[in-house]
Amino acid sequence: MDAQDGNQQSLQLILGHNVFLLKHPDVADIDKVRLKDEVLNAVKSNEMTPYYETLVADKVVELDQSVLDSMRAKNEDEIKKLDDKIADAEENLGESEVREAHLAKSLYYIQIGEKEKALEQLKVTETKTVAVGQKMDLVFYTLQIGFFYMDFDLISKSLDKAKNLFEEGGDWERKNRLKVYEGLYCMATRNFKKATDLFLHSISTFTTYELFPYETFIFYTVLTSIISLDRVSLKQKVIDAPEILTVIGKIPNLSEFLNSLYDCQYKSFFLAFAGLTEQIKLDRYLHPHFRFYMREVRTVVYSQFLESYKSVTIDAMAKAFGVSVEFIDLELLRFIAAGKLHCKIDKVAGVLETNRPDAKNALYQATIKQGDFLLNRIQKLSRVIDL
């Protein structure tokens, strides 16, 4: 991909995000006009004939036959040149030059959006590659293809392959980069807890600019941490982290979102949360989990509020969150029914009574249950042995 070695996001991933926004129903029509121009310019400048055909088929852009014919002719000409270079390298040059010629063809297929041929050519390039580090770079290219097309099966297989390669060796820089790739995959597949662990391990060593800018990385880290970490860990690993402190102020509403939760300023938290919803909804990786994430955040904040009380009036809770009694009453009904909150509502008195489960008692009951199960198995086994 275009920005593999630089400090800029891959042009293909930028294009993928713009196409996502172009299809999004909540994006304003005036913004879609600009996005369509950006998408078409990116497609034309990269001569993306196969991807252009896909966009036309999906009715994202209109077909311009002259543009299509022109790009196709350029593709054929460039692929012929690349094949000639491969043939020349195989006849006259060494193994390193042959590998570079095959890699160039792989990168061109990636550039034009020819997914299957790109993957096939990367496999050919791998057969010409000896060094573990260079093999890892090929896996990174494959992962970027996976994220461009949101092909999670390809991403999963590539991550497994990368981990196997690291058993043979590999440097720390590439290992740290892989954590970010895996973290993004976990976040995009709703494994927020694992994504949090991987992101937090990569904060001080982040170099994966081809996926997204550092500000976006911090945005993802904070969002996943809030629903995955306990209060103490959130303070130690996120709120007080110097790397996060230097960047968080540049991201609208994020600092207020994080700090107001920890400081129990629930009204400010809800205001900041409302400001972030649009960013979450319009994010290519978070959008499919928008409703789930909204529920999880509210579970965290309601649980934190109720943790301080054995009983509290619904009116007091509504005032703390800056919402109406009707709204908080409906919210609580949903979360209690779903088993997300451990409390009950006394509608007559207008009071919430918490009934948090005792962790030690729950562990004791589980131990007793498992002990009974084990004794039953031993008794059955003893009967078989006696026979």
Side-chain angles (χ1 to χ4, degrees), residues 27-216:
V27 175
D29 289 341
I30 192 166
D31 291 327
K32 286 188 176 182
V33 172
R34 174 185 54 80
L35 286 166
K36 186 177 283 190
D37 287 340
E38 289 178 10
V39 166
L40 283 171
N41 288 335
V43 167
K44 290 174 188 175
S45 62
N46 286 296
E47 301 159 8
M48 302 180 74
T49 309
Y51 193 63
Y52 180 67
E53 290 175 320
T54 302
L55 293 177
V56 170
D58 292 345
K59 296 182 179 177
V60 177
V61 298
E62 296 77 28
L63 174 63
D64 185 329
Q65 193 62 47
S66 62
V67 170
L68 182 62
D69 293 340
S70 172
M71 289 194 298
R72 186 173 285 138
K74 288 177 181 176
N75 290 162
E76 290 170 358
D77 184 50
E78 186 63 29
I79 289 167
K80 186 178 182 304
K81 287 178 184 176
L82 290 167
D83 286 336
D84 290 343
K85 284 182 182 178
I86 291 171
D88 179 58
E90 288 174 342
E91 286 179 24
N92 306 311
L93 302 171
E95 291 179 0
S96 177
E97 289 78 7
V98 170
R99 179 194 175 275
E100 290 302 314
H102 278 286
L103 178 60
K105 189 176 180 182
S106 302
L107 295 180
Y108 186 70
Y109 277 136
I110 293 172
Q111 177 189 311
I112 67 173
E114 187 72 86
K115 180 185 176 185
E116 298 307 323
K117 287 184 179 179
L119 294 172
E120 187 181 318
Q121 188 61 35
L122 282 169
K123 287 178 183 176
V124 173
T125 307
E126 187 182 3
T127 63
K128 312 290 181 184
T129 305
V130 177
V132 173
Q134 290 180 331
K135 286 183 178 181
M136 270 305 308
D137 289 338
L138 297 178
V139 176
F140 284 129
Y141 286 127
T142 307
L143 284 166
Q144 288 176 45
I145 293 171
F147 282 116
F148 179 54
Y149 291 99
M150 298 297 270
D151 185 341
F152 293 120
D153 185 52
L154 175 63
I155 295 168
S156 178
K157 288 175 181 175
S158 299
L159 288 170
D160 291 339
K161 184 177 182 178
K163 289 172 187 176
N164 291 333
L165 280 171
F166 276 134
E167 291 178 6
E168 301 174 21
D171 58 85
W172 282 106
E173 192 268 337
R174 288 186 176 92
K175 285 183 179 179
N176 289 327
R177 283 176 61 202
L178 184 67
K179 286 179 183 177
V180 180
Y181 277 86
E182 188 177 2
L184 180 58
Y185 167 73
C186 290
M187 186 186 77
T189 53
R190 205 179 281 186
N191 188 348
F192 290 116
K193 184 163 181 57
K194 189 173 181 181
T196 299
D197 293 339
L198 290 162
F199 285 157
L200 288 172
H201 277 107
S202 308
I203 283 181
S204 58
T205 57
F206 180 84
T207 56
T208 324
Y209 296 100
E210 68 273 12
L211 283 183
F212 34 61
Y214 190 60
E215 286 82 1
T216 303

